[in-house]
Amino acid sequence: MTAIALRLRGSRHLPVMAGAACTVALLLVGSLYSSNFLSPEYLLLQLQIASFLGIIATGAMLVILLGGIDLSVPWAVTVGGMMSAAAAGWWGGAAAAFAIPFGILCGAALGLLNGIGVAYLRVPSMIFTLGINAVAQGLIVVHTGGFAPQDRATPAMHLIATGRSLFGIPNALLAWAAVGGATLFLLHRTSFGRAVYAVGNRERAAYLSGIATRRVTLLCFVFAGACSAAAGVLLTGYSTKAYQAMGDAYQLPAIAAVVLGGTHILGGRGFYLGTVVGVVLITLLQSILSVMQIPEMGRQVAYGLVIIAMLLVYGRGRRHAG
């Protein structure tokens, strides 16, 4: 038994197994509050809601693998949603088909600014992305005049966010699966993915081995910005309208989902499957806390405690490894 315990403790997949066990436990606890908690329809609904967080967490994971952090998520989500809806209002007709890629490109542009600041200006990611978040907030307030925007989501945005086109599976879940599949391929089948892990482990050593560390960092932040904006587009389609601060509720859950899934918050190690498990776990936890009528502030405290605990655990591991 001791040998098995030591083997499990040293397993790279232990966070995934632990997260899966916690997910099952949450499902059982939820079933005590509602008999519908384990129904297929309810589970599909939860996965549909998890898709928004899952896409954001996908981009956040790449940045965390570098050893960085992206605090521009809230308003990158808002920019993606608002600019896609605004584009639909500006262009109308057949040109509205470009509303979705336009919103995603706006988020990618924010990510590009983040990447330039972190990779080339060498500003700490926490500081620079927080500044970009404030800039994005100011630009949106200027764009809307401080009022709620009147532009509505296009039918395509609404269909992707709420429709079910294939075997009753939510389209939003399929979108998350597509983003996740591309990320898995990128991380494990390309030289870029290997470079991401190398930069996260030791950037100086990666640079000396010939890796273009600045370009890798830049591209990861661009990808993260695009993912946040894509989630904003889906959220706009889900609620039919964009609104200010629509991404505020996703900053801490996205980071918590990534670190719960076993990605080292100091960078260099992590698996996308763990992030998926973390997203599902956070979504189910949110659902149970809502049923228990826990206020939003209490949920934010829970996410913060998770991040602090995982940071302490990984920090101790890095010191012992050193």
Side-chain angles (χ1 to χ4, degrees), residues 58-59 61-62 177-188 223 227 272:
T58 300
M61 179 186 173
L62 261 68
V179 172
T183 303
L184 274 173
F185 179 82
L186 190 70
L187 288 176
H188 300 291
F223 183 77
C227 284
Y272 187 69

Side-chain angles (χ1 to χ4, degrees), residues 38-254:
L38 296 178
S39 67
E41 186 62 28
Y42 183 81
L43 292 177
L44 279 176
L45 177 61
Q46 291 303 306
L47 288 174
Q48 179 180 7
I49 295 172
S51 301
F52 309 136
L53 175 60
I55 293 175
I56 296 172
T58 300
M61 179 186 173
L62 261 68
V63 173
I64 291 175
L65 279 174
L66 293 174
I69 201 79
D70 185 0
L71 297 183
S72 65
V73 164
W75 285 87
V77 171
T78 304
V79 165
M82 282 201 171
M83 297 314 294
S84 60
W90 294 336
W91 300 328
F98 295 100
I100 294 176
F102 179 74
I104 295 174
L105 283 174
C106 288
L110 290 179
L112 179 64
L113 293 176
N114 283 331
I116 292 173
V118 175
Y120 293 92
L121 302 181
R122 311 305 292 176
V123 181
S125 60
M126 182 178 294
I127 302 300
F128 198 87
T129 58
L130 188 61
I132 290 296
N133 187 66
V135 170
Q137 179 180 2
L139 290 175
I140 288 297
V141 171
V142 170
H143 169 67
T144 61
F147 299 100
Q150 300 302 311
D151 300 310
R152 303 184 69 85
T154 65
M157 292 163 61
H158 187 66
L159 175 64
I160 296 173
T162 64
R164 299 189 179 189
S165 303
L166 182 64
F167 305 118
I169 301 174
N171 292 337
L173 182 57
L174 296 176
W176 179 23
V179 172
T183 303
L184 274 173
F185 179 82
L186 190 70
L187 288 176
H188 300 291
R189 292 290 184 269
T190 68
S191 58
F192 175 80
R194 291 187 289 273
V196 170
Y197 284 101
V199 172
N201 275 305
R202 197 175 295 274
E203 183 178 2
R204 181 64 178 172
Y207 174 78
L208 292 175
S209 67
I211 294 174
T213 56
R214 291 182 175 181
R215 185 175 62 187
V216 170
T217 301
L218 177 69
L219 291 176
C220 283
F221 275 99
V222 170
F223 183 77
C227 284
S228 294
V233 172
L234 288 178
L235 284 168
T236 301
Y238 188 79
S239 59
T240 70
K241 291 182 68 175
Y243 52 93
Q244 294 195 39
M246 62 191 295
D248 283 0
Y250 287 92
Q251 178 71 80
L252 280 179

Side-chain angles (χ1 to χ4, degrees), residues 267-282:
R269 187 182 303 174
F271 300 92
Y272 187 69
L273 179 59
T275 297
V276 172
V277 172
V279 168
V280 174
L281 184 59
I282 289 292

Side-chain angles (χ1 to χ4, degrees), residues 252-274:
L252 280 179
I255 299 173
V258 174
V259 298
L260 270 176
T263 298
H264 279 218
I265 202 166
L266 302 178
R269 187 182 303 174
F271 300 92
Y272 187 69
L273 179 59

